[in-house]
Amino acid sequence: MDYFLTEEQKTIRALARRIAEEKVLPVRAELDEKEEFPWEIVNELARADMFRVFVPEAYEGLGGGCLELCLVVEELSRVCSAVAVTYAASALGCMTLIEYGTEEQKRRYLPDIASGRKLAAFAITEPTAGSDAANIKTTAEKVPGGYVLNGTKQFITNGGEGGIYTLIAPTDKTKGGRGASAIIVEKGTPGFSFGRKERKLGIRASATRELIFKDCFVPEANLIGGRPGLGFIQAMRLFDRSRPGIGAQAVGLAQGALEAALEYAEKRVQFNQQIINLQAIQHMLADMAIQVEAARALVYAAARNVDANDKNITESSAMAKVFASDVAMRVAVDAVQVCGGAGYMRDYPVEKMMRDAKILQIYEGTNQVLRNAIAASLRKRKARTA
Amino acid sequence: MNIIVCIKQVPKTAQVKIDSRTNTLIRQGVESIINPFDTYALEEGVRLRERHGGKVTVISMGPPQAETALREAISLGADEAILLTDRAFAGADTWATAYTLSRAIMRLATYDLIICGRQTFDGDTGQVGPELAEMLGIPFVAYVSAIEEIRDRYLRVRRMVEEGYEVIETGLPALITVTKEINQPRLPSLRGIMKSKSAPVPAWGAKELDVDPSRVGLNGSATQVIRIFFPERTHQAEIITGSPEEQADRLVAKLREARLI
């Protein structure tokens, strides 16, 4: 299906696909097995300018938007979702800075992220603050010249590997959600260390780790935008802009699973014929393809809404994320089914895809919490038109 | 460090098809790529520039469509590219090709090092590099697998030989041909691709190069391809068994029988 991409978008997509096939495909199973962080691939992506895609031109980026980011994420995820999330998390980690940071902050941090010399990460989740993101326990106490951080962030993608962290922490405890701020903390800051590295069901090559702050001083200059109290709003706005990226990760994964199932169905012979000749298999493959294409169309449309600076993107971004991740889960499960016993084995890629797919329904807003948001938006619109 | 890399555009398939009437390559319908060995030459040039500064100029002689290969070289890190193209250059053998390249290189400002691939994927002769060095009157090292040191007017390289390698020192400027052991060529970068789309690729012909017309193209070619073919596979091996003494006796008997000794 033609999505009327520009020449530049097609170039980005083609190069991302080439990297995925030439550099990621040969090592994806090993990276998964060893739970090894893919630094070599990150460096490969950096050399190809992939981290420049989402950074504005003024800071050594290529000035792409949400759709360009989605195209890269989709192609990487088609081969390996762990690599895709590592890449996308660096974008997530600097999007708040891009949108709200001061000129000085952008100059200081973005060129290193654009070149891929440093990975970025975003940290909001805590043991007590998942879907209930406002229940943050980490403290950022105001002291002369800056803030002192204490607390623990949990399940942070690129944790430990990233060099630049955007952290949401309350700078004014008395104001609840309105007292939170987005603060940049660099790896190596005294009092900032890394805790347990999680052992996961899927996306095992990606790093998911605790961030531990013990009397960690950060200067006032690291407060994103220079004004306290906007952190929570900035984070919600960030997720509105980043969720199509998770949708793209889901579309890529589902596409990869569909292709693997199709290839197997053409090779596998039972009852003296390729199983792709069986209508039971044909209908499964057709349903998978329909779902993947519908998810892609929704994700691209949501990404374009983000890039059009549409004010009301909460709903479309949530829809794209929820629909595409549910599709990825279903398609991955069906891909294993089409491949039968072989599909259950680690020699074939679909079992990994099935394990990788599950997280897509959980992170960056569980699909349940996002359905709440979509329903709330429906009711609000209904009330307005009534 | 000013580096010149010579590249050739070749058909993608290793099994080139030959027009039996004209004994030339059939290019129609075959995707063209940069000669794989030349990609190692280009990568080494780009790496040297990244370490020592300067620029990488890529030169190719070929039909107008060879411009695509030069643009690809820019996307892979080359700074400038020049296409040598003219009807008069058509039908050139390695000698006439080396002469044409030498005329272009003489036109360029100073250079420190010329890098070529060890041979092409289609012609397979490995002659253009050494011939070019000869015409330019500069030192030449073939089959370089590593550059150990390079500085002002000094170069030390490893060159592959049958069993092991040799270390060779030479002055600069010099010409080396490289093997695939020398590096792992990178993929293009987005900025490189975007630059390659708009970068100027000047085309120099017989006039710009001020060539001797009798030394270019078919006229300047000392060799002519009569026929190109893949050697037939023959399976006539015979294994002689027994103790070493018996094997020697049997081998001598066989050779005598065949009147070879």
Side-chain angles (χ1 to χ4, degrees), chain A residues 92-134:
Chain A
L92 185 74
C94 71
M95 277 159 93
T96 308
L97 181 61
I98 291 170
E99 203 171 353
Y100 302 104
T102 63
E103 185 60 25
E104 198 270 327
Q105 288 169 337
K106 292 186 206 179
R107 291 212 176 284
R108 189 156 155 215
Y109 298 112
L110 290 177
D112 276 349
I113 296 169
S115 69
R117 276 189 295 273
K118 288 181 181 169
L119 285 173
F122 185 81
I124 186 167
T125 301
E126 295 187 6
T128 55
S131 291
D132 182 7

